[in-house]
Amino acid sequence: MKRTATSHPTTVLSTVALASARRFSARALPLLLIGLSLGTAQAATSTIGLAFDVGGIKDGGFNQAAYQGAQRAAKELGLTIKTAQPKKSEEIGKGVTPLVEGGSGLVIGVGYANNDAISTTAAAFSDNKFAVVDDLPKGKNAVGLRFREQEGSFLVGYLAGKQSSTGIVGFVGGVDVPVIQKFRAGFTAGVKFACPNCRVVSAFVAKTSAGFNDPKAAAVIAAGMTKQGVDIIFPAAGASGQGVVNFIKAQPCLKASSLPAGVKFKSDLFAAVAKSAVYKKLCTTDSRPLFFIGVDTNQNALGDFDKKAATLNHGLTSMVKRVDNAVYTIVKEYAEDRPWRGGDRSFGLSNGGVSVAIDDYNRALIPASLETSLKKVEQLITNGVIKVPTQ
């Protein structure tokens, strides 16, 4: 017999109802039981559980985006959100069952590391609904909210290939797993599409999910990449990506004198963009700026090191993975009691699942002609003319 999140409350309510039935007519009893049952179902439906990956609600990445999507649905529909936030990788998934037992009718595991816990709990609580962001769980009552990260990564790779001063760009992955391989594959393909002679240097922070929450290790990787001539770095590494940002803030440029043998500056595309006082102090005229590319959420603002939007921003752009839209969609469908469809749900360029961020922070870095070309490339992907690899 399968367990359900509401089995114990229902039993208690039914007992109370039968004990009180003697004071009601036979006609009134069924109405009482129906009312109690509806009240129980409504309570379960109105509570949503989020089991996060390491980094938590304020990680600036997909944990935060998932929470924002759930919040949007909660405000619209009057829902209650409960969360489980692991402090270390060993705790990931341990909050799933407590969320169900605490009354969450739908539990969403944020990140592939929650998949095992979600799949196991979905089998034990067949009357509840479950979802996993970034992976495909088992069970008819579970759905995988997966993204075509390779499509958005292709576009930011295209920008990197067009705007690298050295022709060498970097990719930093949190862990070498399928979802991160899609980021890398798309990014590399986009770079090569824009600049066939460009080179992509790749590295991973760790072999476990701890790689998504280790900014110091990511900063060390970024330092090593710049010594190879890398001037644009795309971290798909969760909270570890902040380490790349921190490194670039401390060292905002590459100097010609520090380039490795055989590497030279090929362009000076940002010469006319106003620079910060710190940049002018640290970087000579024979230097080129370093950039990062944000991931998951729009992180362009992180590159505004002097809090002046008019000066050069070190966030070239961001590959926005609309986890908020996916979570919002599944929560809304559940809360409105729409027919449940388990299995895989795919989000990409064609349905608002991924996008490239161009705003006041980075508009000076991307000329109108390049933005027009970017939109044409996006259309080629959407139309299926460009087949973006996933690994």
Side-chain angles (χ1 to χ4, degrees):
M1 178 177 177
K2 299 292 185 182
R3 298 161 66 190
T4 67
T6 58
S7 58
H8 297 303
T10 301
T11 300
V12 173
L13 288 169
S14 298
T15 301
V16 172
L18 290 172
S20 303
R22 296 185 181 91
R23 290 175 296 180
F24 292 85
S25 67
R27 182 178 179 183
L29 177 57
L31 295 176
L32 172 64
L33 294 176
I34 290 173
L36 289 170
S37 297
L38 288 175
T40 302
Q42 186 176 4
T45 301
S46 65
T47 304
I48 307 299
L50 292 178
F52 292 112
D53 203 332
V54 288
I57 291 175
K58 297 182 179 180
D59 70 341
F62 69 94
N63 281 317
Q64 183 173 327
Y67 186 66
Q68 290 171 343
Q71 274 191 315
R72 177 156 45 112
K75 289 179 180 178
E76 287 184 15
L77 302 167
L79 306 175
T80 298
I81 300 175
K82 292 186 177 181
T83 65
Q85 299 191 65
K87 295 182 179 179
K88 50 187 178 180
S89 58
E90 292 79 7
E91 297 176 356
I92 296 173
K94 292 185 177 180
V96 173
T97 298
L99 284 172
V100 177
E101 293 177 337
S104 298
L106 167 65
V107 175
I108 302 171
V110 185
Y112 73 91
N114 278 292
N115 192 358
D116 288 345
I118 288 289
S119 294
T120 300
T121 311
F125 293 91
S126 60
D127 289 345
N128 288 69
K129 301 296 186 290
F130 300 86
V132 175
V133 175
D134 271 353
D135 210 347
L136 182 62
K138 298 177 182 178
K140 295 181 179 179
N141 57 334
V143 62
L145 306 178
R146 300 202 286 183
F147 299 80
R148 300 191 291 279
E149 294 93 350
Q150 68 275 12
E151 295 179 354
S153 298
F154 187 100
L155 293 181
V156 298
Y158 178 83
L159 288 178
K162 287 291 186 183
Q163 296 182 284
S164 173
S165 298
T166 62
I168 308 173
V169 300
F171 174 83
V172 178
V175 185
D176 189 3
V177 292
V179 64
I180 301 302
Q181 290 167 7
K182 290 197 292 181
F183 279 101
R184 181 176 65 170
F187 180 69
T188 301
V191 171
K192 293 293 185 178
F193 185 81
C195 176
N197 295 323
C198 285
R199 182 158 60 94
V200 179
V201 178
S202 297
F204 295 91
V205 178
K207 294 183 178 180
T208 69
S209 59
F212 293 109
N213 196 33
D214 194 346
K216 291 183 179 180
V220 172
I221 291 172
M225 285 184 170
T226 57
K227 291 179 181 179
Q228 299 179 62
V230 169
D231 64 337
I232 300 173
I233 302 176
F234 178 35
S240 295
Q242 185 62 48
V244 175
V245 177
N246 293 342
F247 171 78
I248 294 176
K249 185 174 183 178
Q251 182 183 312
C253 63
L254 280 181
K255 298 179 180 179
S257 59
S258 65
L259 293 176
V263 178
K264 297 180 179 180
F265 291 133
K266 299 179 180 181
S267 62
D268 193 7
L269 300 176
F270 310 102
V273 181
K275 310 296 193 302
S276 68
V278 172
Y279 185 94
K280 291 177 180 179
K281 181 179 179 180
L282 296 176
C283 305
T284 64
T285 54
D286 197 13
S287 300
R288 301 293 184 271
L290 284 175
F291 298 99
F292 68 87
I293 294 175
V295 71
D296 293 335
T297 59
N298 182 354
Q299 298 178 332
N300 292 353
L302 296 179
D304 183 15
F305 298 150
D306 64 348
K307 304 303 179 184
K308 296 179 181 178
T311 56
L312 182 136
N313 190 68
H314 291 271
L316 182 65
T317 187
S318 295
M319 201 296 278
V320 183
K321 183 172 169 179
R322 299 305 302 268
V323 174
D324 58 329
N325 285 348
V327 169
Y328 170 82
T329 297
I330 200 67
V331 170
K332 194 170 188 294
E333 289 180 2
Y334 170 78
E336 293 178 347
D337 200 25
R338 299 186 195 179
W340 182 261
R341 178 166 60 88
D344 198 5
R345 300 283 287 274
S346 179
F347 299 85
L349 288 174
S350 63
N351 61 350
V354 296
S355 63
V356 176
I358 298 178
D359 55 20
D360 290 342
Y361 288 104
N362 68 338
R363 193 166 298 281
L365 307 176
I366 303 175
S369 59
L370 181 55
E371 186 175 355
T372 298
S373 297
L374 184 69
K375 290 178 180 178
K376 290 180 180 178
V377 173
E378 179 177 346
Q379 195 62 50
L380 290 174
I381 295 173
T382 303
N383 292 342
V385 176
I386 295 177
K387 305 292 185 181
V388 183
T390 58
Q391 60 182 2

